[in-house]
Amino acid sequence: MLCPMLSLGFLVLLPFTVAFNPIGGKGQTHVNIMERAVMMKITEVCREVAKAEGRDFNILGESLEELLQACLGRDKAGEVSAVAFKTALDQIYRQNGLVDSLFASSEAHHFHSEAFVEGRNLITVGVATVKANVQKENFQVAREALGRVSHTLQDFYSHSNWVELGHRTPYMNLLRPDYSIGPVAGEGEATCSNCEKEPCPNSILPTILQEKKLTSGYLSVTSSFKPAGKCSHGGPSDKTSNQRPRGGIHKDEPGLQSWELHTAAVDVAIAATLDLLEDIRAVAGDVDFLQLMGITRSSLLCFVIDTTGSMSDDIAEAKRVAISIIDSKKGTQDEPSAYILVPFNDPEFGPAIRTTDAEVIKTKISNLSATGGGDEPEMCFSGLKLALTTAPQSSSIFVFTDASAKDTHLEATVKALMQSTRSTVSFFITNPGLSWRRRRDTQRSTAFQLYQELAQASGGQAIKVSKEMLPQATDIIVDSTTSTLVVTLLQCVRSGGTTETFTFLADPSVRDMMIYITGNSFSFILQNPSGVSQSSQVPEGPLGTIQSVGNLYRVRMKHQAGLWKMEINSRQPYTLKVMGQSSTAFMYDFVEAFGGPHPGFVVIESRPQAEREAKLLVKVTGKQGPDFLNVTEVSLEEASGSGEVKGTVEDLGHGQYLVSVDRVPKGQMVLLLKGLDKNTSSLFQRQSSTQLTVSKLTIMAQANRTLEPGTPVSLPFTVTISGTGGTCTVRADDDRGFVQSFTDSLTLVNGSAQGSVELRPPANTPSGTDITLTITAESPDKSDSNYAVLRLSVVAKVTDLSPPACHIVSVRDNCSHNCSLSTWELSANITDGNGTGVRSVSSRPGDGVLNSTSSVGEGGVNVTQVLYRASCCSPNVEIIAVDGVGNVGTCFHSVSRLPTTAPLSGSPPLTASLSLGLYVLLLYFSQKAQ
Ligand SMILES: *[C@@H]1O[C@H](CO)[C@@H](O)[C@H](O)[C@H]1NC(C)=O
Ligand SMILES: *[C@@H]1O[C@H](CO)[C@@H](O)[C@H](O)[C@H]1NC(C)=O
Ligand SMILES: *[C@@H]1O[C@H](CO)[C@@H](O)[C@H](O)[C@H]1NC(C)=O
Ligand SMILES: *[C@@H]1O[C@H](CO)[C@@H](O)[C@H](O)[C@H]1NC(C)=O
Ligand SMILES: *[C@@H]1O[C@H](CO)[C@@H](O)[C@H](O)[C@H]1NC(C)=O
Ligand SMILES: *[C@@H]1O[C@H](CO)[C@@H](O)[C@H](O)[C@H]1NC(C)=O
């Protein structure tokens, strides 16, 4: 049962099962396999990075929060929130799980029906997609592609006879498209014997085993047909398994096969996933690899700036403000990890400029000038749309403009993107008197209201200010909203006319509390937990400082834990938002059960269905990990009223909760979560920042996520509506202009209809270009809409399949017993045959010195000559060469006098796994390989 895994150097014990089921299946899932591999690899890379930086690396606990702290450096990072980390990991895990629902009937995605060539092709394209997108820093697309491709890679070990053939290490050829997939059982060749009573661990025919041929199970949920003599996948939903030869060979969970084969399949799947991650790491480099895994301390800062002529008075101020924001964050713990600038004019907008260099973005902002466009409304929504598709999830976006938007047809698209990315958008509107009158909009009295609605829906603010007041306005909003620690305690929208009292709970973990109120004519009285009050007329009082600018009031509060009260009296509409900074935060998604051979839950990536029950998956994160937090109540609250629906909370363990709600209220809602911090024995409350809505419409779009340059694709989608039929209006938008046409009107028959979007990426589109495609559909009576947001990528067909070859030319080794006195040296020639050429060469570990020079050798072949020099105390080296499309070639050398323990290629020994008891169902021990 304990299988020594040579290439990995660790041993796995599985007291409970880890199986190949999707999210929420029978306890253990594909996601656990992915999670195991991802955690080990992150730990390993973080440890090496820390060593290279001369830092200590110690993980004190078992949580992701601990791992993040240790990776970022405990002293350097200060308090960090694990939300971005967990969100990134979810992007990987979710797509991994989704393969079972989106591609349930695709043989290739699961290596069913001996589809080995097709399955391996999917892996080749998937890996190329990950690599191309990592190189362009399109991390979200890369994560999603990684999740998907890993599923197929992992399924190979459960669904094929690889472990029955006696293998206990990964099949390297799956990740080497230049190698043949090997002998596969022929068409018509019998592969299985009949199984009278399960388990039947020896179903594979001896001839297949002797000839070392690959085979896999056939599966159908609708028909019992399978080719004569072939193995079935097996299990209750597989109709072919009742057909002779009866039984099944899948090792998805123990039961059908022996426990040994099941655990062997799990172990090899984890090892194979580690090899894949190592391959991607070699291409990405350690910094980008960790960013791909979501290890980041800070968020990103994004500006969308109007550059039309009418802004000429304001743009200097907007520029000054933007630059001062950047300067004020520099060197602080909130220093953004990257910056995005999107200028917009009329009719042009963009391009989106993304950089990690503060000086570059400052220069770009300085170079903006206001021209053209006149006083006409401009392309504000196009600019905002581009910002939303360029920025990662949960970014803060600041829009500076002085006029109404011309491109309001994009309103639904922008709203969809805001909800789907959960980014917060704040508008600074200077000169608000101008051009509002031009808009003829029956639903809103002013165009400002449109900006206000959008800001509210995203959890941001819409602020009307004069040019003179702009710096003040931005100061008071930006200083508190760009940290990753920002949490919302309370937010609501009211129409005014009465006096209303709001209460909110401040727990001891919250720092820097702020109240934001936008409105025109109101007064308030704030009361702290000890009963001390301060009114809106007192700018500097016992409870804090009140500042106002334009229509925005901010109270910076002196912290006191406990229940606060806010009584607001207003004749006009207003918004209220209470925020603070804390590492206690939560994430949420609506989920839906699905059936099929591998049932589970999928995340609903659009608005959930109206007028019916709903389920939410809620995850909490805190400084010491989720095990110190207990969620006691989750409810959906109307944003603009007092209506609320409480959910039933089921604890799934490790900070995950399944929340069931009988009926989701209509209109804008926020999610309210209450819980207990067991460490401080104090109650806490949090709200979602983004407002949620439900819809009677659903849009389903299934897509191959990878497109080829110059090749048109037709992407089908289905719109469904509950209730009456009629004609829906559809829009499809992307951020690259690749959409050629789409079905813009759909007549629903029996509540549903199909349409399609035609996309054509130009032939010269660089590999690794990502596309965000947004499809929105509006109900026949225009009262309701929903969306689908798809992230696709363009990847050129990979023709260079071979990695660079590394040839060790000479080694000079004078190492003596006292290693610190001597050095050793290695020289190697690296070539890439007829391929795309050697793009980079690096060495690992990083404590030697590597020099490389390129020259043209014999026969006009390009040669990269490498010289590596290191202390004899560092006796091992792995030279890593990457070619133009990300094929990775390595060579290993050791001058160690001891028997070598390191593998020749692939993963170095994983001692990293020791301290990670993370996924508590799994116990494992670290052991040196022999
Ligand atoms: C969590 O809260 C629930 C409801 O208050 C309570 O029944 C349960 O015992 C708590 N669990 C822990 C581990 O504190
Ligand atoms: C998706 O990819 C498969 C195989 O690569 C192809 O057969 C199919 O037509 C593609 N579908 C779409 C909608 O492009
Ligand atoms: C390069 O391509 C030529 C022609 O296709 C082939 O004959 C040759 O063997 C290739 N060389 C290598 C090193 O792959
Ligand atoms: C390696 O490169 C560094 C800087 O590029 C140079 O100073 C050094 O002399 C080189 N060493 C060798 C052995 O070529
Ligand atoms: C290594 O490359 C250099 C430069 O092309 C060449 O002169 C030398 O012969 C090569 N050595 C070997 C062993 O291939
Ligand atoms: C060698 O490298 C040069 C410059 O990088 C490139 O232009 C040329 O095509 C390469 N030659 C071969 C045979 O790969």
Side-chain angles (χ1 to χ4, degrees):
M1 178 171 131
L2 309 180
C3 356
M5 299 174 61
L6 284 175
S7 79
L8 280 167
F10 76 105
L11 192 72
V12 181
L13 267 184
L14 296 165
F16 297 94
T17 66
V18 180
F20 296 78
N21 292 316
I23 309 171
K26 286 185 205 131
Q28 296 308 315
T29 64
H30 250 290
V31 172
N32 293 75
I33 291 174
M34 194 70 213
E35 213 165 31
R36 288 278 305 280
V38 162
M39 289 302 122
M40 286 182 206
K41 194 46 98 183
I42 292 175
T43 310
E44 179 198 336
V45 177
C46 284
R47 174 168 285 136
E48 285 180 22
V49 169
K51 187 166 173 242
E53 289 177 2
R55 284 193 278 125
D56 284 340
F57 180 80
N58 25 15
I59 302 183
L60 306 177
E62 296 181 341
S63 62
L64 282 170
E65 287 80 352
E66 262 303 319
L67 178 58
L68 180 65
Q69 289 270 353
C71 283
L72 292 172
R74 222 165 287 277
D75 307 326
K76 210 171 73 178
E79 191 175 5
V80 290
S81 165
V83 170
F85 183 28
K86 293 188 175 187
T87 303
L89 294 179
D90 272 350
Q91 287 167 356
I92 301 173
Y93 301 157
R94 189 175 295 173
Q95 291 296 323
N96 183 312
L98 262 181
V99 173
D100 274 327
S101 64
L102 284 185
F103 302 101
S105 57
S106 160
E107 293 163 351
H109 281 85
H110 309 281
F111 280 106
H112 289 319
S113 313
E114 303 179 313
F116 289 105
V117 172
E118 298 82 351
R120 205 266 297 266
N121 285 348
L122 281 178
I123 293 175
T124 303
V125 174
V127 172
T129 306
V130 178
K131 289 176 176 175
N133 280 287
V134 170
Q135 285 173 281
K136 293 230 173 241
E137 300 194 343
N138 296 328
F139 294 115
Q140 185 172 345
V141 177
R143 287 177 197 127
E144 294 183 352
L146 172 61
R148 289 181 175 210
V149 71
S150 303
H151 186 115
T152 300
L153 183 68
Q154 292 155 1
D155 268 355
F156 173 81
Y157 300 98
S158 173
H159 297 171
S160 80
N161 62 335
W162 181 252
V163 295
E164 285 92 331
L165 288 171
H167 299 291
R168 294 296 180 266
T169 54
Y171 188 24
M172 281 316 292
N173 293 21
L174 290 178
L175 295 177
R176 287 291 301 264
D178 53 333
Y179 291 178
S180 143
I181 192 73
V184 176
E187 209 177 310
E189 183 173 357
T191 54
C192 260
S193 60
N194 197 46
C195 174
E196 293 301 343
K197 190 170 179 303
E198 285 162 7
C200 293
N202 302 315
S203 311
I204 309 284
L205 290 177
T207 50
I208 297 294
L209 297 178
Q210 279 150 21
E211 289 165 27
K212 295 253 162 216
K213 283 183 177 164
L214 285 173
T215 185
S216 67
Y218 283 72
L219 167 73
S220 175
V221 291
T222 52
S223 142
S224 61
F225 173 80
K226 68 176 173 185
K230 292 293 184 187
C231 304
S232 283
H233 175 77
S237 60
D238 177 14
K239 292 209 166 137
T240 73
S241 63
N242 297 322
Q243 190 82 356
R244 289 181 76 89
R246 279 201 289 271
I249 63 163
H250 85 69
K251 291 156 284 290
D252 288 354
E253 56 209 12
L256 198 56
Q257 286 298 325
S258 67
W259 176 263
E260 282 79 3
L261 285 179
H262 166 69
T263 45
V266 171
D267 292 354
V268 189
I270 293 171
T273 311
L274 281 163
D275 287 348
L276 169 61
L277 292 170
E278 182 61 27
D279 187 36
I280 291 163
R281 173 195 179 187
V283 175
D286 287 351
V287 172
D288 275 0
F289 180 77
L290 290 180
Q291 217 177 329
L292 177 69
M293 296 293 125
I295 304 279
T296 172
R297 186 195 53 190
S298 52
S299 55
L300 171 148
L301 195 51
C302 178
F303 299 105
V304 181
I305 302 181
D306 184 345
T307 61
T308 48
S310 64
M311 277 290 282
S312 55
D313 283 350
D314 311 286
I315 195 150
E317 207 45 52
K319 278 157 62 171
R320 208 189 59 71
V321 166
I323 287 170
S324 86
I325 294 166
I326 293 167
D327 285 340
S328 72
K329 304 269 168 204
K330 220 172 159 186
T332 71
Q333 295 192 334
D334 288 343
E335 180 167 351
S337 54
Y339 304 86
I340 292 175
L341 170 66
V342 181
F344 67 90
N345 201 297
D346 180 23
E348 314 81 47
F349 61 93
I353 299 153
R354 186 185 195 279
T355 171
T356 52
D357 188 336
E359 294 308 314
V360 170
I361 202 76
K362 279 165 66 181
T363 309
K364 296 285 184 189
I365 292 174
S366 306
N367 292 345
L368 293 179
S369 63
T371 48
D375 288 349
E376 293 299 315
E378 44 247 11
M379 305 296 277
C380 182
F381 282 21
S382 303
L384 178 54
K385 184 185 86 176
L386 191 55
L388 284 162
T389 56
T390 311
Q393 292 252 311
S394 308
S395 293
S396 301
I397 297 174
F398 299 98
V399 183
F400 296 86
T401 183
D402 71 337
S404 59
K406 169 194 249 176
D407 46 1
T408 49
H409 59 273
L410 291 174
E411 181 186 341
T413 306
V414 164
K415 268 196 182 153
L417 287 168
M418 286 188 329
Q419 282 189 332
S420 126
T421 62
R422 299 191 185 158
S423 287
T424 305
V425 182
S426 289
F427 294 90
F428 295 95
I429 295 139
T430 55
N431 207 1
L434 196 74
S435 54
W436 301 125
R437 271 162 274 112
R438 291 172 202 274
R439 246 183 88 87
R440 275 193 222 101
D441 190 321
T442 48
Q443 282 166 11
R444 304 176 186 95
S445 56
T446 64
F448 176 71
Q449 265 178 299
L450 174 57
Y451 286 141
Q452 200 167 29
E453 262 181 51
L454 288 172
Q456 273 163 22
S458 75
Q461 321 278 342
I463 302 153
K464 281 192 244 190
V465 279
S466 62
K467 177 182 70 170
E468 293 73 31
M469 303 299 278
L470 191 59
Q472 255 181 289
T474 39
D475 276 359
I476 70 177
I477 183 155
V478 174
D479 63 359
S480 56
T481 48
T482 55
S483 162
T484 53
L485 292 167
V486 169
V487 292
T488 304
L489 303 183
L490 175 74
Q491 66 168 327
C492 53
V493 180
R494 289 294 183 267
S495 50
T498 56
T499 299
E500 191 168 346
T501 304
F502 302 92
T503 57
F504 55 91
L505 183 67
D507 60 278
S509 78
V510 180
R511 295 181 288 109
D512 297 332
M513 275 172 53
M514 307 272 183
I515 301 175
Y516 293 96
I517 309 167
T518 60
N520 287 321
S521 156
F522 61 85
S523 63
F524 59 82
I525 300 168
L526 181 65
Q527 193 186 77
N528 77 3
S530 344
V532 180
S533 306
Q534 180 174 342
S535 92
S536 48
Q537 272 83 48
V538 183
E540 197 74 50
L543 305 189
T545 316
I546 303 173
Q547 280 175 289
S548 75
V549 49
N551 60 328
L552 175 71
Y553 276 72
R554 182 187 69 172
V555 190
R556 183 193 276 272
M557 295 153 75
K558 291 181 185 150
H559 187 260
Q560 188 181 355
L563 197 63
W564 290 69
K565 269 191 200 153
M566 179 81 162
E567 184 186 291
I568 302 185
N569 181 350
S570 174
R571 280 181 307 257
Q572 288 186 22
Y574 62 94
T575 71
L576 168 69
K577 185 163 188 184
V578 185
M579 290 156 69
Q581 302 207 7
S582 165
S583 51
T584 304
F586 76 104
M587 302 151 66
Y588 60 94
D589 284 296
F590 283 96
V591 294
E592 196 169 62
F594 72 92
H598 301 291
F601 284 104
V602 279
V603 167
I604 302 171
E605 310 237 21
S606 55
R607 295 183 186 125
Q609 283 225 269
E611 293 171 8
R612 50 181 274 190
E613 80 285 352
K615 287 192 191 306
L616 288 134
L617 188 64
V618 171
K619 299 181 185 179
V620 284
T621 170
K623 197 171 183 177
Q624 281 132 314
D627 292 342
F628 287 88
L629 302 170
N630 187 359
V631 172
T632 51
E633 189 184 316
V634 178
S635 51
L636 287 165
E637 309 217 313
E638 283 175 15
S640 57
S642 50
E644 68 161 8
V645 185
K646 278 203 172 67
T648 315
V649 181
E650 184 190 339
D651 189 348
L652 303 178
H654 309 296
Q656 300 204 48
Y657 298 84
L658 188 65
V659 179
S660 310
V661 187
D662 283 344
R663 195 184 158 90
V664 184
K666 267 193 233 155
Q668 302 279 343
M669 295 169 291
V670 289
L671 195 65
L672 171 68
L673 177 135
K674 291 183 180 171
L676 175 72
D677 183 335
K678 291 186 240 173
N679 207 31
T680 55
S681 302
S682 47
L683 299 171
F684 66 90
Q685 86 176 42
R686 298 286 183 269
Q687 278 197 354
S688 63
S689 175
T690 312
Q691 294 184 355
L692 320 168
T693 43
V694 291
S695 173
K696 285 189 205 165
L697 291 153
T698 54
I699 304 179
M700 292 291 296
Q702 266 198 31
N704 287 348
R705 298 287 175 104
T706 304
L707 316 179
E708 272 179 38
T711 308
V713 290
S714 175
L715 200 150
F717 63 87
T718 309
V719 175
T720 317
I721 190 165
S722 60
T724 53
T727 301
C728 283
T729 317
V730 176
R731 267 201 72 81
D733 272 296
D734 73 316
D735 52 344
R736 305 270 177 203
F738 294 169
V739 169
Q740 302 291 305
S741 61
F742 56 89
T743 320
D744 59 359
S745 148
L746 278 179
T747 303
L748 302 170
V749 180
N750 294 330
S752 126
Q754 270 222 352
S756 65
V757 181
E758 315 302 319
L759 287 149
R760 180 199 282 273
N764 60 358
T765 310
S767 206
T769 300
D770 68 337
I771 308 153
T772 306
L773 173 67
T774 310
I775 307 172
T776 56
E778 200 175 45
S779 64
D781 65 1
K782 311 250 177 272
S783 66
D784 190 359
S785 71
N786 208 343
Y787 63 83
V789 175
L790 301 171
R791 289 187 187 258
L792 316 171
S793 85
V794 179
V795 179
K797 198 176 187 68
V798 180
T799 48
D800 175 5
L801 301 174
S802 308
C806 172
H807 179 73
I808 295 175
V809 176
S810 65
V811 178
R812 204 175 48 77
D813 156 18
N814 304 325
C815 292
S816 60
H817 268 295
N818 187 345
C819 67
S820 62
L821 294 178
S822 44
T823 59
W824 66 285
E825 209 175 83
L826 171 147
S827 75
N829 278 3
I830 298 173
T831 51
D832 194 39
N834 289 341
T836 40
V838 176
R839 203 199 68 217
S840 72
V841 181
S842 57
S843 62
R844 209 181 285 153
D847 38 14
V849 177
L850 179 89
N851 277 20
S852 67
T853 50
S854 299
S855 61
V856 180
E858 284 164 38
V861 179
N862 285 349
V863 179
T864 304
Q865 281 177 283
V866 169
L867 186 64
Y868 176 82
R869 190 175 287 151
S871 153
C872 288
C873 300
S874 180
N876 302 329
V877 71
E878 190 177 22
I879 309 275
I880 300 159
V882 180
D883 71 14
V885 294
N887 292 310
V888 180
T890 59
C891 53
F892 178 82
H893 192 78
S894 176
V895 294
S896 173
R897 300 292 183 261
L898 302 165
T900 171
T901 57
L904 285 178
S905 66
S907 316
L910 284 172
T911 46
S913 53
L914 248 182
S915 47
L916 266 170
L918 247 180
Y919 293 96
V920 173
L921 293 175
L922 320 160
L923 279 174
Y924 49 95
F925 303 115
S926 183
Q927 175 189 292
K928 275 206 178 119
Q930 290 304 305

